[in-house]
Amino acid sequence: MKINEITSYIESVAPLSYQESYDNAGLIIGNPDTELSGVLIALDTTEDVVQEAIDKNCNLIVAHHPIIFGGLKKLTGKNYVERTVIKAIKNDIAIYAAHTNLDSVPGGVNTKIANLLQLKNQRMLDPVSNELAKLVTFVPENSADKVRNAICEAGAGHIGNYDCCTYNTNGTGTFRGNVASNPHVGKKGEIHFEPETRIETIFPKALKGNIIAALLAAHPYEEVAYDIYSLENKYSQVGIGIIGKLESPINEKDFLEILKQTFKTGTIKHTTLLNKTISKVAVCGGSGSFLLKKAIAAGADVFVSGDFKYHEYFDADGKILIADIGHFESEQFTKDVFYELLIKKFPNFAVCLSEVNTNPVYYF
């Protein structure tokens, strides 16, 4: 097996196009065609994690946080980033990161947090826009079912809890092939009138290549006519943060105690208690303060995240309880997300969970 088999699969689940503009997800160090000896999964890549990969004969580290976030102008070993990169290169260790793209997808980081809190009726707190497109194609009526099934199988036509969503209208197509043509119907040099079905459907832009390939493979025409339009619609299946409901409402102190136990922290920073029950919960792994207004607008009773700054706590304004459980604490189970994905797809391949505690924050 090669590195790109692992990375391509991860990107089929969490496409790189879903990462935020500031991010640096993807293969950061290494050759994608290198044969794999093993995969080490970590939250962060540090010198100790690289050494662990060496000791465990894993030549690929799959991490949540990119070791190179901004540009590197020098490699002199003056800081931990440079030393980690140098150590990885010297020992032929590839490093891959799935960061905000893994935050944004169902089954990703925020879904893991929501599942740990047993939230029901989960939905994206801040769905993305401009990630959907519309495909319009024209197919002979007797081939419409074949083409429709092929593009839906490739990932088109998903709207919320429904799939195979298309709109179909019948009409007449015309064409005339030249001397070099090989028409499926009609004759060269003659205008042909063919009963056709116009099929319209939406699809995630990240799946464009797969869907067009499926269309061309299933369509009987030598030259396939199709249009693609970008859409501004919200894409409910992709976004940052999750909001859902507890099975039963509980008081604020009991909820904070559940957070402490679930996320293994002795300290939770929070805003003043509002003396009301907690039912609707918004979550965001890592630094999620930018979503506070979204959580309030969605009617959440509490927003669970990390890295709130002092003045940001005032923004709760008596409308919501902020529970800052810490950056590491909120994302520590991301390793399990990677592990479950890879083991399901590659059950016979060596995948190891890092045992290095990379949390740089300590509590006294």
Side-chain angles (χ1 to χ4, degrees):
M1 225 166 90
K2 295 183 178 180
I3 286 175
N4 62 14
E5 294 181 59
I6 294 287
T7 60
S8 294
Y9 174 65
I10 294 174
E11 288 168 16
S12 73
V13 176
L16 294 180
S17 62
Y18 293 164
Q19 68 180 308
E20 297 295 315
S21 58
Y22 61 80
D23 206 358
N24 190 34
L27 186 62
I28 295 172
I29 296 171
N31 185 334
D33 293 321
T34 299
E35 292 287 337
L36 269 174
S37 60
V39 179
L40 180 68
I41 298 171
L43 183 62
D44 307 281
T45 306
T46 64
E47 294 169 87
D48 288 341
V49 171
V50 174
Q51 185 60 53
E52 184 182 22
I54 296 168
D55 295 341
K56 292 182 176 179
N57 194 32
C58 295
N59 64 345
L60 172 63
I61 296 171
V62 172
H64 184 45
H65 296 131
I67 181 61
I68 301 175
F69 219 85
L72 274 180
K73 294 186 177 180
K74 297 179 181 179
L75 282 174
T76 61
K78 68 178 180 181
N79 57 47
Y80 88 94
V81 173
E82 293 182 9
R83 290 192 300 272
T84 300
V85 170
I86 291 169
K87 189 179 184 73
I89 292 172
K90 280 185 174 181
N91 291 276
D92 294 322
I93 305 294
I95 299 176
Y96 181 88
H99 190 211
T100 52
N101 52 320
L102 190 66
D103 291 333
S104 300
V105 294
V109 177
N110 292 310
T111 301
K112 186 67 174 179
I113 297 170
N115 289 345
L116 286 167
L117 294 174
Q118 301 181 42
L119 300 186
K120 312 297 181 183
N121 303 319
Q122 297 178 21
R123 61 180 176 85
M124 294 296 175
L125 180 59
D126 187 20
V128 297
S129 300
N130 300 306
E131 282 294 342
L132 290 172
K134 173 176 279 192
L135 169 68
V136 177
T137 189
F138 307 88
V139 190
E141 287 181 1
N142 59 7
S143 297
D145 286 344
K146 179 182 178 183
V147 171
R148 190 184 303 109
N149 291 338
I151 59 177
C152 288
E153 186 68 26
H158 287 264
I159 302 177
N161 294 322
Y162 296 84
D163 62 7
C164 300
C165 301
T166 66
Y167 186 75
N168 304 264
T169 52
N170 291 328
T172 303
T174 66
F175 49 84
R176 178 170 58 192
N178 62 23
V179 294
S181 66
N182 182 27
H184 174 69
V185 289
K187 296 180 180 180
K188 298 179 183 181
E190 296 181 5
I191 293 181
H192 179 77
F193 292 79
E194 179 68 21
E196 292 181 339
T197 300
R198 172 188 169 115
I199 301 174
E200 301 181 39
T201 188
I202 65 170
F203 65 90
K205 290 180 180 178
L207 298 180
K208 177 180 174 181
N210 292 341
I211 289 165
I212 298 306
L215 168 66
L216 298 179
H219 204 293
Y221 284 175
E222 183 179 28
E223 300 291 348
V224 179
Y226 64 91
D227 304 320
I228 294 177
Y229 306 94
S230 289
L231 302 177
E232 296 183 2
N233 304 46
K234 290 284 187 181
Y235 184 18
S236 63
Q237 299 301 304
V238 174
I240 298 293
I242 292 281
I243 188 165
K245 283 191 172 183
L246 295 172
E247 185 74 50
S248 302
I250 61 175
N251 69 56
E252 295 163 312
K253 288 185 177 180
D254 287 344
F255 181 77
L256 291 175
E257 186 60 39
I258 289 173
L259 287 181
K260 287 176 67 174
Q261 298 301 321
T262 302
F263 295 96
K264 305 173 185 177
T265 178
T267 302
I268 296 177
K269 296 194 293 182
H270 62 85
T271 49
T272 185
L273 299 181
L274 302 175
N275 297 316
K276 65 178 185 179
T277 57
I278 300 294
S279 176
K280 207 169 187 179
V281 180
V283 304
C284 180
S287 303
S289 60
F290 66 98
L291 286 175
L292 178 61
K293 289 182 180 178
K294 296 283 186 181
I296 294 172
D301 301 307
V302 61
F303 182 35
V304 180
S305 190
D307 289 350
F308 274 84
K309 296 179 181 178
Y310 176 81
H311 288 95
E312 291 171 334
Y313 285 89
F314 287 105
D315 295 333
D317 201 20
K319 300 172 183 176
I320 195 170
L321 175 66
I322 293 174
D324 186 336
I325 62 175
H327 195 124
F328 174 88
E329 286 77 9
S330 69
E331 295 185 329
Q332 62 187 297
F333 299 104
T334 302
K335 292 192 296 183
D336 297 329
V337 175
F338 282 125
Y339 186 81
E340 290 159 10
L341 279 173
L342 295 180
I343 284 297
K344 183 177 180 180
K345 179 69 175 178
F346 309 102
N348 298 318
F349 193 76
V351 179
C352 305
L353 286 172
S354 174
E355 299 174 63
V356 176
N357 181 359
T358 60
N359 189 1
V361 180
Y362 290 82
Y363 303 95
F364 182 72

